[in-house]
Amino acid sequence: VGDKVMVLARSGLWQEVVNVPASQTFPMPEGMSFEEAAALLVNYITAYMILFDFGNLRPNQSVLIHMAAGGVGTAAIQLCKTVENVTIFGTASASKHESLKESGVAHPIDYRTMDYAEEVRKISPKGVDIVLDPLGGSDTSKAFNLLKPMGKLITYGVANLLTGQKKNLMAMAKTWWNQFSINALQLLHHNKAVCGYHLGYMDEEFELVGGVVAKLINLYSQGKIKPKIDSVWPFDQVADAMRQMQEKKNVGKVILVPEAPKEESKKEEN
């Protein structure tokens, strides 16, 4: 009772009071803010397991990170930096490139004006060792083709289904139609791996996830990772918070808090 904890739950966290099993809570490390704690678990567990458990990231390898300025993207960049001499390619709109370079992305690519596959090939003709794919659709095929021999593609989302505020059924149908498909026999000839990841379906894997969280807290305590907060919004501005992501303005994590900080409490803290 009274412990400050981080919580993992599949849904239902946009409220003031939540009830979750104790096995889905993790003590916050010393010196961590509540906003950082809210930004840590989902993004960093996802990025860690994709890069290290599936991707087997090692020194001198190369990684392509899509949506590199988003929550998982920023986590993945920081985690790549914990391994020696990893070359990071990151796709994001041009306005975010300076920020990406500062965080360690060697080659930011503007996916809106360039063919990112061509840009990667110009710099690394053989392709890359690992592709993180949150996009789905035809981008998964492009990712597979960009892999070097023994390369690994980890797909963990279908952002291409999200086309705006309203559902665009044609765009959704197109994404499903273009979804990458390969059978085991075809894989045999390519010397490549395709993996699928979804943290939401790890509900029962307490030991596995707990082990990853322990490693992340250790990295945080060493100053090797630090959640990047884009902005903090009170619950009554949730529509604006969603718009911030929808319009792809965020660099880092968009955080919701029950209410806006009061001016008096800010003065008291000072």
Side-chain angles (χ1 to χ4, degrees):
V1 174
D3 283 350
K4 294 179 178 180
V5 294
M6 304 180 275
V7 173
L8 261 188
R10 201 187 290 195
S11 60
L13 293 183
W14 292 8
Q15 49 198 31
E16 291 175 16
V17 180
V18 294
N19 186 359
V20 298
S23 57
Q24 287 171 227
T25 64
F26 305 90
M28 282 167 54
E30 204 64 41
M32 179 180 272
S33 70
F34 283 118
E35 287 79 11
E36 283 184 333
L40 185 87
L41 288 185
V42 170
N43 291 155
Y44 281 81
I45 292 171
T46 298
Y48 188 96
M49 295 185 86
I50 285 174
L51 284 170
F52 297 114
D53 294 329
F54 271 147
N56 192 24
L57 179 63
R58 296 197 297 274
N60 306 314
Q61 289 191 323
S62 53
V63 181
L64 171 59
I65 301 171
H66 285 295
M67 295 162 64
V72 175
T74 52
I77 291 164
Q78 290 178 13
L79 289 167
C80 283
K81 299 300 288 176
T82 67
V83 179
E84 204 180 342
N85 199 30
V86 169
T87 303
I88 306 170
F89 296 83
T91 66
S93 46
S95 61
K96 302 176 183 180
H97 285 194
E98 221 34 62
S99 165
L100 289 181
K101 279 182 181 168
E102 283 168 23
S103 65
V105 176
H107 307 291
I109 301 167
D110 184 358
Y111 64 96
R112 293 180 180 182
T113 58
M114 297 169 168
D115 181 328
Y116 65 82
E118 277 179 25
E119 294 304 308
V120 170
R121 293 260 183 223
K122 279 180 196 170
I123 297 154
S124 178
K126 277 191 166 182
V128 294
D129 296 290
I130 301 170
V131 180
L132 278 61
D133 170 37
L135 302 174
S138 57
D139 285 292
T140 309
S141 305
K142 284 172 83 167
F144 186 78
N145 292 329
L146 268 176
L147 291 177
K148 291 178 179 177
M150 299 303 289
K152 298 164 191 77
L153 156 64
I154 303 98
T155 185
Y156 67 98
V158 197
N160 283 333
L161 287 179
L162 306 173
T163 53
Q165 287 189 5
K166 294 182 178 166
K167 283 183 180 175
N168 180 332
L169 294 177
M170 282 302 288
M172 290 172 80
K174 187 180 171 190
T175 300
W176 281 116
W177 180 255
N178 289 328
Q179 188 55 41
F180 175 71
S181 180
I182 192 166
N183 66 40
L185 203 56
Q186 289 169 307
L187 269 179
L188 196 68
H189 304 298
H190 284 284
N191 292 308
K192 297 177 182 182
V194 180
C195 312
Y197 181 84
H198 193 311
L199 179 57
Y201 292 95
M202 294 270 192
D203 292 16
E204 303 301 312
E205 303 302 323
F206 308 125
E207 282 180 33
L208 182 61
V209 172
V212 173
V213 175
K215 288 170 187 163
L216 292 172
I217 287 172
N218 189 30
L219 288 169
Y220 177 85
S221 302
Q222 291 174 41
K224 290 184 176 176
I225 61 172
K226 186 175 176 65
K228 191 174 179 68
I229 311 294
D230 172 77
S231 49
V232 179
W233 308 75
F235 281 0
D236 58 9
Q237 288 178 30
V238 64
D240 297 322
M242 293 299 287
R243 204 170 292 116
Q244 177 81 351
M245 292 195 298
Q246 216 160 40
E247 293 173 2
K248 300 183 177 175
K249 290 178 179 170
N250 61 304
V251 176
K253 190 73 172 164
V254 175
I255 298 288
L256 292 177
V257 292
E259 54 189 41
K262 293 186 176 68
E263 287 305 312
E264 301 96 73
S265 62
K266 277 187 183 173
K267 283 174 192 164
E268 280 168 27
E269 282 170 22
N270 294 337

